[in-house]
Amino acid sequence: IPAVVNGDYAAYQLYTNADGEATVQGLTVAFDLLLDLDFRLSGNYNYTTFEYTGTDAIILPGFNTPTNRFSVTFGNPNVYKGFGFSMSHRWSQGYEWKSTFGEGSIDAINVTSAQVSYTVPDSNVRIKLGGSNVFGNEYQTAYGLPTVGSQYFIKMTFNEF
């Protein structure tokens, strides 16, 4: 007991299976359309649920997944003389994070990304300039992690597709 009072101890977490029943259900719907003039529209929706019916109140399932999320992308790799663009948006419903590390709320995520590209004539080189989370809506993907902000990039690809 003196070691505990003085803080001279190390905590350990033991993982084990639960006696209860866990049910996980999910659904994914996706589409990918090639429109006129090489415009492209794609998206997906995911639905996921978790239910634990055991009586052990201290079980932390660690499922940590939002029930609803979707993304949609629109673009054209060559809208005018080698110039192209792509825009995407993804949304994720907020949810409760539970783990041995800690418990807390993960807020809904709204992230918009965009890029412009240029294909160098008579070559297999494409230059891209873009950003992720261009509106700066900082978000967290797990309890205790720092927030994610905007990221910007310049990229050069060879023989893309």
Side-chain angles (χ1 to χ4, degrees):
I1 293 188
V4 173
V5 171
N6 294 329
D8 187 22
Y9 66 92
Y12 293 93
Q13 172 66 43
L14 298 176
Y15 293 92
T16 182
N17 290 332
D19 290 332
E21 184 175 314
T23 303
V24 177
Q25 295 180 334
L27 170 74
T28 298
V29 177
F31 66 92
D32 197 357
L33 302 172
L34 180 57
L35 307 171
D36 290 342
L37 304 174
D38 208 20
F39 284 92
R40 299 162 188 203
L41 178 65
S42 63
N44 67 68
Y45 167 77
N46 296 287
Y47 172 80
T48 311
T49 63
F50 173 85
E51 184 178 326
Y52 175 69
T53 58
T55 58
D56 193 345
I58 64 168
I59 295 296
L60 293 174
F63 190 64
N64 301 326
T65 301
T67 302
N68 295 288
R69 57 187 170 176
F70 78 86
S71 69
V72 63
T73 301
F74 178 71
N76 186 323
N78 187 17
V79 73
Y80 182 75
K81 294 186 178 184
F83 285 94
F85 74 96
S86 179
M87 296 174 16
S88 66
H89 184 80
R90 64 184 168 95
W91 173 83
S92 178
Q93 182 178 12
Y95 60 98
E96 291 299 313
W97 178 278
K98 294 182 180 183
S99 71
T100 55
F101 175 76
E103 297 183 26
S105 295
I106 303 298
D107 293 333
I109 298 171
N110 276 293
V111 176
T112 301
S113 300
Q115 77 171 29
V116 292
S117 62
Y118 176 69
T119 302
V120 179
D122 301 322
S123 75
N124 291 324
V125 176
R126 182 175 285 170
I127 300 167
K128 300 178 181 182
L129 171 67
S132 175
N133 194 13
V134 295
F135 296 120
N137 298 325
E138 292 188 353
Y139 62 94
Q140 229 177 350
T141 59
Y143 179 77
L145 292 183
T147 57
V148 178
S150 300
Q151 301 173 356
Y152 298 95
F153 63 87
I154 297 174
K155 180 178 181 179
M156 182 183 296
T157 60
F158 301 93
N159 294 324
E160 183 175 302
F161 307 131

